[in-house]
Amino acid sequence: MNVAVIIPAAGSSERYVAAARAEGNESARSKLDEDLGGRPVLHRTVELFTNRDDVQTIIVAGPADDDEMDAFRARHADKLSILGVTIVPGGQAHRYQSVGAALTHVPDSCTHVAVHDAARPGVPHPMLDRLFDAAAHQPAVIPALPIADTIKRTAPAPELNPPADPLASILGDAAASTPDARKVSETVDRADLVAAQTPQIFSRDLITRAYQQSDLASTDDAALVERLGEPVLVIEGDVRAMKITTPADLRALRAMLNLKGPAERATHKRF
Ligand code: CTP
Ligand code: MG
């Protein structure tokens, strides 16, 4: 197997920055630049793949905008080029645009393409081994975890939600005035539901065909393979393959990986 790894890293970390500001951190930056055990999240993610014999090339999709790409290269290109990474412009609005752009840079000699979110730096190596082993026999393999919570479908949030109890709102009862409160319409049977993670790995032909479709709207790559009517195999994921969306996720991941935050490390080991 000769694998090209595509790492979409063109997102704008909107939810991360918004949640950091809500915590009082006004200088929050891209989640991919944040410290994870002494290195930026993005570098940790790339390093997951650098020592694998089956990985031939690593392609990072950075910002679509020229100025933002210059800043991205200034922050990351030195380290990433030492690691043998190719940086290409991604897509402005959607992850699938970034993956589609990176796919055009996959060398002809690659037999497989793995797509892995830059925001998932904690994947344990045994999970990667499981995936790559399965991909030797199956054209589309993804990791996923069972869902522990009870899953509800809800009605769309009403635009205006007058509190049921006017007195409660006068008294400042937060629950009564929650702006996005919505009604449950159904409890979904979770027995056969799983939560998809990445890396998702495909034969090169299959992912190429998937991205030749006219409707590419999707939140993961496997969905485009499913749209072709081709089977996708699910194998066991790992909680440490979680995606960092908010600062709380980054703190949780540090704890799971037993890594200290920069402020908890000795001063000479902070950067
Ligand atoms: N991504 C990308 N191109 C986009 C949007 C997202 O390459 N146009 C990447 C992100 O950089 C991330 C992965 O896709 O590694 C998953 O996306 P997500 O977690 O949503 O990250 P962001 O889009 O950056 O975050 P947010 O949605 O909060 O802005
Ligand atoms: Mg996003």
Side-chain angles (χ1 to χ4, degrees):
M1 223 167 41
N2 220 340
V3 183
V5 177
I6 290 177
I7 300 183
S12 47
S13 297
E14 268 172 41
R15 286 168 291 178
Y16 187 89
V17 172
R21 290 208 176 119
E23 289 178 1
N25 174 5
E26 285 301 326
S27 58
R29 52 186 176 174
S30 161
K31 59 191 179 186
L32 304 182
D33 293 340
E34 292 287 24
D35 175 277
L36 186 63
R39 295 200 287 291
V41 166
L42 175 61
H43 299 186
R44 286 265 176 191
T45 303
V46 167
E47 284 168 6
L48 296 172
F49 301 99
T50 48
N51 286 327
R52 295 193 65 94
D53 292 338
D54 39 16
V55 170
Q56 186 191 324
T57 188
I58 302 174
I59 304 167
V60 168
D65 176 87
D66 282 349
D67 290 344
E68 283 178 40
M69 180 54 115
D70 287 347
F72 184 89
R73 283 189 193 278
R75 291 196 305 277
H76 300 297
D78 277 4
K79 179 72 199 294
L80 294 189
S81 61
I82 292 170
L83 295 173
V85 169
T86 306
I87 301 177
V88 302
Q92 188 76 54
H94 300 289
R95 181 188 182 279
Y96 60 82
Q97 297 170 332
S98 299
V99 176
L103 264 178
T104 65
H105 296 268
V106 171
D108 289 342
S109 50
C110 290
T111 58
H112 290 75
V113 175
V115 185
H116 182 55
D117 290 329
R120 297 182 190 265
V123 181
H125 286 287
M127 179 181 132
L128 289 182
D129 292 341
R130 287 200 292 280
L131 266 172
F132 281 60
D133 286 352
H137 310 286
Q138 299 285 338
V141 186
I142 70 170
L145 285 179
I147 294 173
D149 292 319
T150 297
I151 304 295
K152 310 272 185 194
R153 194 182 306 282
T154 63
E159 281 180 22
L160 279 174
N161 182 45
D165 176 358
L167 183 62
S169 85
I170 291 164
L171 296 176
D173 180 335
S177 56
T178 303
D180 62 352
R182 50 179 88 184
K183 263 192 185 156
V184 170
S185 55
E186 175 191 7
T187 298
V188 181
D189 181 8
R190 66 166 187 238
D192 50 6
L193 295 183
V194 292
Q197 300 181 317
T198 77
Q200 302 189 343
I201 181 163
F202 309 94
S203 77
R204 191 220 171 104
D205 291 349
L206 185 56
I207 190 77
T208 305
R209 267 204 296 137
Y211 271 86
Q212 281 164 349
Q213 297 173 101
S214 51
D215 178 12
L216 294 180
S218 54
T219 50
D220 75 354
D221 309 285
L224 298 178
V225 170
E226 294 155 34
R227 199 167 291 160
L228 287 174
E230 299 290 346
V232 174
L233 186 81
V234 171
I235 67 150
E236 190 188 358
D238 191 289
V239 68
R240 290 161 289 182
M242 65 181 283
K243 184 159 72 70
I244 299 170
T245 302
T246 64
D249 294 331
L250 178 57
R251 292 191 290 268
L253 186 60
R254 279 191 192 121
M256 279 190 260
L257 300 178
N258 221 353
L259 295 169
K260 290 183 172 141
E264 299 154 290
R265 289 200 298 272
T267 319
H268 67 286
K269 290 183 179 166
R270 276 186 200 168
F271 303 102

